[in-house]
Amino acid sequence: NLNTAGLISGTPIHAGSFPITLQLKDNATPASVATANYVLVVNQPLSFGEGQMPDGVVGQPYSASGPSLVSGGTPPLHWASTTLSQGLTLDPGTGVISGTPTTAGTATLTATDSATPPAQVSTGVRFGAPIIISPAALPSGVIGVPYTANFSSTGGLGSINYSATGLPAGATLTLGGDLSIPNPASSPISLSVTATDFAHPQQQVTVLYSISFVSAPMLVLQPATLAGGDEGVVYQPQQLVASGGTPPYSHWTTAMYSSLPPGLSLDPNI
């Protein structure tokens, strides 16, 4: 709207360039007329697009530009942030963040245009700590005995998924970091474990592990001899004990072509 006092007001509903010719008459007789030609530019609203500023990692060089994600608004834009990590700088004219962050967290990046009144939009810039996989080394195991281990991590952004290369046949590693080797048959077993976060771009760290496996000790039965007994007299129970081998042990039994004296029995579960 243009009122008689020369005030233009209202809310534009379409973007574009609008040529305008304005005239003003005074009260002279005959009246004097002044004419002015203008082009009123209405820009699209200032906004951040669907993308996001790339995430960074503490201790690693970082460089990204805010204007690549912004559309609309009245140039020039002014960029500001009061929450940037130490080690980072922001160019207020270009919107470029550069440097090496020293702390993890989310910084707020704000763009302000030159409209009257100015429009302002903000977005977050995330910085994650470096991913560290634990444990640093895996304990040894026994050949033929099922082996399990669990991996965990600190750092990164969002949840961490795990993957591995070099696993032997039948072995698995879940996304949550649970390692299972049902039947280790050789030593050592070497595998590479990779932890991946949900940053943009993703942060990945890989650690090489070597697991040693030892052979199980020889299975031994004791006692070496059994006490004798008398016919018709209750036999004093004899407890057999196993050691070595790979526990748990299966049930006891007599070997082929061998049997206890009539009247005696062997409990297979003791």
Side-chain angles (χ1 to χ4, degrees):
N1 297 321
L2 173 64
N3 64 17
T4 56
L7 177 66
I8 299 174
S9 63
T11 302
I13 60 175
H14 295 291
S17 297
F18 299 90
I20 303 171
T21 299
L22 299 180
Q23 289 186 333
L24 176 66
K25 295 181 180 180
D26 66 7
N27 285 322
T29 303
S32 296
V33 178
T35 299
N37 295 312
Y38 299 95
V39 176
L40 179 58
V41 178
V42 178
N43 294 293
Q44 295 284 348
L46 180 65
S47 66
F48 277 99
E50 295 181 358
Q52 67 179 76
M53 292 285 287
D55 298 320
V57 179
V58 171
Q60 297 183 13
Y62 181 88
S63 181
S65 174
S68 63
L69 300 176
V70 171
S71 62
T74 300
L77 301 180
H78 177 79
W79 296 87
S81 177
T82 58
T83 55
L84 278 180
S85 164
Q86 289 187 350
L88 294 173
T89 58
L90 169 65
D91 187 316
T94 64
V96 173
I97 299 175
S98 60
T100 301
T102 59
T103 56
T106 300
T108 299
L109 179 64
T110 301
T112 304
D113 75 357
S114 298
T116 304
Q120 191 174 83
V121 292
S122 298
T123 190
V125 189
R126 304 186 303 172
F127 297 92
I131 295 175
I132 300 176
I133 302 177
S134 296
L138 292 174
S140 59
V142 178
I143 289 178
V145 178
Y147 183 91
T148 60
N150 176 264
F151 298 99
S152 61
S153 298
T154 58
L157 292 171
S159 59
I160 304 292
N161 284 342
Y162 297 89
S163 60
T165 58
L167 289 174
T172 59
L173 177 64
T174 68
L175 289 177
D178 293 320
L179 173 66
S180 173
I181 306 177
N183 185 27
S186 61
S187 179
I189 292 178
S190 298
L191 63 151
S192 296
V193 175
T194 299
T196 305
D197 70 358
F198 276 78
H200 170 75
Q202 293 176 317
Q203 182 187 168
Q204 283 190 334
V205 172
T206 299
V207 176
L208 176 64
Y209 290 92
S210 181
I211 312 172
S212 296
F213 290 88
V214 298
S215 299
M218 181 180 296
L219 180 62
V220 178
L221 304 182
Q222 293 178 326
T225 61
L226 295 175
D230 296 325
E231 181 181 350
V233 178
V234 175
Y235 183 74
Q236 179 67 35
Q238 293 287 299
Q239 178 63 63
L240 303 177
V241 178
S243 62
T246 303
Y249 307 116
S250 61
H251 66 278
W252 294 83
T253 185
T254 55
M256 186 179 297
Y257 306 117
S258 172
S259 62
L260 292 171
L264 297 183
S265 62
L266 172 66
D267 188 334
N269 300 313
I270 295 180

